[in-house]
Amino acid sequence: MQAMDQRELRDTLGQFATGVTIITTSSSHGPLGITVNSFASVSLDPPLVLWSLAKDSDRFDAFDETDHFGIHVLPAHDRKLAMRFAACGNDFSGLEVEDGAGGTPLLPSYCARFECRVSGRHPGGDHVILVGEVLRIWRQRVEPLVFQGGRFGSFAGD
């Protein structure tokens, strides 16, 4: 068994390809978003999904206090949008945002979009796992953005 440090663990976990999502919510400072790749399905009945929020995130308080959030699985052409919300959570400039449940901002670009109500928060080490009950869904048939080994890509291999 190989000894591990945080960098080695992160690099090893990075071998697993994931989809790229932007999670959005409404906050006391306006609309807020964050790029995450920890999205997963939990249950079909009831319809539940989850994602993990780092406790050291500057957006932690807003997401930890919200009752609703939106999940946007990004299309392959939206790398810049993923980077925008990784760096800054309140830059919605130039986006035609729709209002969802609880005032959640819903982005126009997605492969899949889930409008959710928080149904649980669970401690998970240096993260909090947010479980959401899915209220509404949207789907478009476009190539998803993938993240693996510290890089963005797609199934097309670009």
Side-chain angles (χ1 to χ4, degrees):
M1 181 162 170
Q2 182 176 349
M4 69 177 157
D5 60 20
Q6 280 192 347
R7 180 76 254 169
E8 184 64 26
L9 178 59
R10 186 179 185 117
D11 290 346
T12 303
L13 290 168
Q15 294 304 304
F16 180 66
T18 65
V20 180
T21 65
I22 294 176
I23 313 296
T24 57
T25 195
S26 158
S27 78
S28 59
H29 301 291
L32 192 65
I34 189 169
T35 301
V36 303
N37 67 344
S38 59
F39 167 69
S41 64
V42 175
S43 170
L44 294 176
D45 186 19
L48 300 173
V49 295
L50 67 76
W51 65 284
S52 300
L53 174 63
K55 290 179 180 177
D56 66 357
S57 170
D58 61 354
R59 294 164 244 181
F60 179 83
D61 290 341
F63 280 103
D64 191 47
E65 295 167 359
T66 192
D67 292 329
H68 293 86
F69 57 84
I71 300 172
H72 309 79
V73 178
L74 294 184
H77 67 269
D78 264 343
R79 294 175 188 184
K80 287 183 181 177
L81 192 61
M83 293 306 296
R84 179 196 300 195
F85 283 97
C88 179
N90 58 4
D91 185 2
F92 284 77
S93 60
L95 299 174
E96 295 181 28
V97 177
E98 299 174 43
D99 279 337
T104 299
L106 300 174
L107 303 176
S109 186
Y110 57 85
C111 291
R113 186 169 71 180
F114 304 84
E115 190 173 355
C116 302
R117 175 178 38 240
V118 174
S119 70
R121 290 179 174 85
H122 307 279
D126 58 2
H127 284 65
V128 168
I129 301 162
L130 284 101
V131 178
E133 175 188 3
V134 178
L135 304 174
R136 292 194 303 170
I137 58 173
W138 296 262
R139 179 174 51 133
Q140 300 183 62
R141 297 198 184 278
V142 294
E143 186 78 21
L145 183 59
V146 177
F147 188 75
Q148 191 268 327
R151 297 183 333 191
F152 291 112
S154 71
F155 288 111
D158 62 358

